Amino acid sequence: MPSNKKFFKRFLKWRYKNISDKNFINFLAMLVGLAAGLSAIILKNLTHFISAIFEDGVVASYHSYWYFIFPLLGLLLTFLVKKIVIKHKITHGIPMALFAISKKEGKVNRSNLFTSLITAPLTVGFGGSVGLEGPSVATGAAFGSGISDLFHMKAQTRKLLLVCAAAGSLSAIFKAPIAAILFALEVFSLELTFTSMLPLLIASVSAVLTRLLLIGEQYIVNLNEIQHFEIGNLPFYIFLGLFAGLVSIYFTMVYFKTENQFRKVQKPIFRVILAGMILGVLTYLVPPLYGEGFEFMNKIIGQDYETALDSFLFRDQQSTWVVLSLMVGLIFLKPLATAVTLSGGGVGGVFAPVLFLGTVLGSFYVNFCKQLGYILPNNNFAMLGMAGLMAGVLQAPLTAMFLIAEVTGGYQLFIPLMLVVGTAFMISKSYQESNIYTKELKEKNALLTLDKDQSVLTLLNLDSIIETNFIILKPGMTLKDMLFKAVVKSKRNLYPVVDEDEKLIGVITLDDIRDIMFDQDKYESVVVEFLMHDPPDFIDYEQDSMQQIMLKFQNSAAWNLPVLKQGKYVGFVSKSKLLTAYRRKLITY
């Protein structure tokens, strides 16, 4: 009886002979979508199980008194799991997937199959003010990468399946298959071709069908009374878009400033405690900040302000101005609560906080206009607020429009959606070129875009083009030693001069010694130190991107540039090898 490995090898051989690559990729996309859908459901159910312990379980009677303890406990448990069980850093789901595509040939660490499934429910279930979309994408991406490796797929196919997994995760968690495909195109910069479109479609549909079969038909938010578009409300849509754009800028600013402040705290455990204390105080004083907040969103949409805001320490829901003041507080504090959760080591995503903030924003806008004498449909503007915030914060306008339309069932409001989303996106883009997922990657030149030239350079690996077959010289060597120990034996016309600490102090070319290399009177009197000169430029192994390297070649007009790592000599990069590698990568890309 053949072993499992032999059976699998036979299957692979049979597959190569009988199933085309295109059909097999479509089959794998279905598997990836199924796995992404299952992981999204497991993640959601685990989180709800934990949160139910506090909301309805044995500690429910103590819940309001010890509200501030639960987020700290969740972050501490997350920290301990990462330190003791996982033992490596967990990066946010979508940036991790983007980095894997641009710099790791689509390979994702297999531990991501379970890391987010453990840590995200602990973070969100105990009150972390984040969502489950990022962790779901991370888990799905690990499935996509793992399935690709299992069936020995090429790097390009692995990247495609990783994006399919990300789309499947979003499709399952929001029941929004069309938005999931657009998300893959906008955020992952996937080029839309028949080769990519069909696997994306299959993965997205199989993921949402998995969700429907296991947990049934249900929307995350209840918007059952969407009214048709009225041309008279056009100015209000435009002003809402402006408002959403400004709030999205505020969200982004708070997110990055909070992250920078937490980085100044050196020890991770101190960051966890600080974040837990801040988040605990915030959720104790402002309970709607606790967890994902979808229940609160539905109450706001239904204009049940008495129940929604009843948990506030200061409450008087009979006064509209008090309700408006509490909503303003939520608009200002939700971005802070989300940023503190993630900066303190929590694992989660920003989709849910953005939807939460958009709902509050839209409802605030309606109630404020009501005080001025203008009656607007609350459900319509809650939906538009969500779309506007998503377009501004995530800078994915098509995803925002279709996600909100699919989540809410409000397809009849596409004209207002386009107005609000377009306005918010334009304002956000004018302030910040990149969104919160891509800003750091773009600064490191590790982000793929629809610009093919830039993307190909991003995909190039510096290690693959560094040449090390250069004979190293010491500054004290005589001309004779240089000729007999280096020039005679080397196939190169360039020689690095390195000191005792392995630091590059100069270079010598054959042109530098051509006039004296046969003058034996100078063999002993002339030393390398007198002949060497500075290179026209150098490449910093840890800092320079491929775009910067290409620019250095262009500005210096050099054919070879030395590579330094922490000041020490590593090798050289030649312009010819760089251009050859670029052409090859361009063909495969």
Side-chain angles (χ1 to χ4, degrees), residues 237 240 358 379-389 404 413 416-417 420:
Y237 296 133
L240 178 62
N379 283 12
N380 287 24
F381 280 82
M383 184 186 83
L384 295 169
M386 288 189 280
L389 257 293
I404 301 308
L413 282 180
L417 274 171
V420 173

Side-chain angles (χ1 to χ4, degrees), residues 432 434 438-447 545 548:
Q432 178 68 56
S434 304
T438 60
K439 182 176 182 292
E440 190 171 347
L441 292 174
K442 192 169 185 179
E443 289 173 352
K444 295 178 180 178
N445 290 294
L447 178 69
S545 65
Q548 292 169 319

Side-chain angles (χ1 to χ4, degrees), residues 514-556:
R514 198 178 301 278
D515 295 338
I516 61 172
M517 63 187 300
F518 298 111
D519 188 348
Q520 296 186 7
D521 294 336
K522 296 183 179 180
Y523 276 14
E524 299 295 337
S525 60
V526 176
V527 294
V528 166
E529 191 174 4
F530 299 152
L531 300 171
M532 69 181 187
H533 57 84
D534 292 332
D537 208 335
F538 69 90
I539 296 169
D540 189 320
Y541 180 89
E542 296 170 312
Q543 298 293 329
D544 289 343
S545 65
M546 281 296 175
Q547 289 87 342
Q548 292 169 319
I549 292 171
M550 191 71 83
L551 188 63
K552 286 185 176 183
F553 273 109
Q554 179 181 327
N555 294 337
S556 66

Side-chain angles (χ1 to χ4, degrees), residues 42-64:
I42 292 170
L43 193 61
K44 199 81 173 173
N45 287 339
L46 280 174
T47 304
H48 288 172
F49 173 76
I50 293 173
S51 62
I53 296 174
F54 301 109
E55 299 293 341
D56 307 312
V58 68
V59 295
S61 58
Y62 303 100
H63 190 250
S64 59

Side-chain angles (χ1 to χ4, degrees), residues 279-301:
L279 190 61
V281 171
L282 287 176
T283 53
Y284 181 73
L285 297 176
V286 189
L289 298 176
Y290 191 93
E292 291 181 286
F294 286 119
E295 184 180 350
F296 175 81
M297 289 166 57
N298 285 318
K299 291 176 182 176
I300 288 291
I301 290 167

Side-chain angles (χ1 to χ4, degrees), residues 38 327 370:
L38 285 172
M327 286 184 177
K370 184 179 179 181

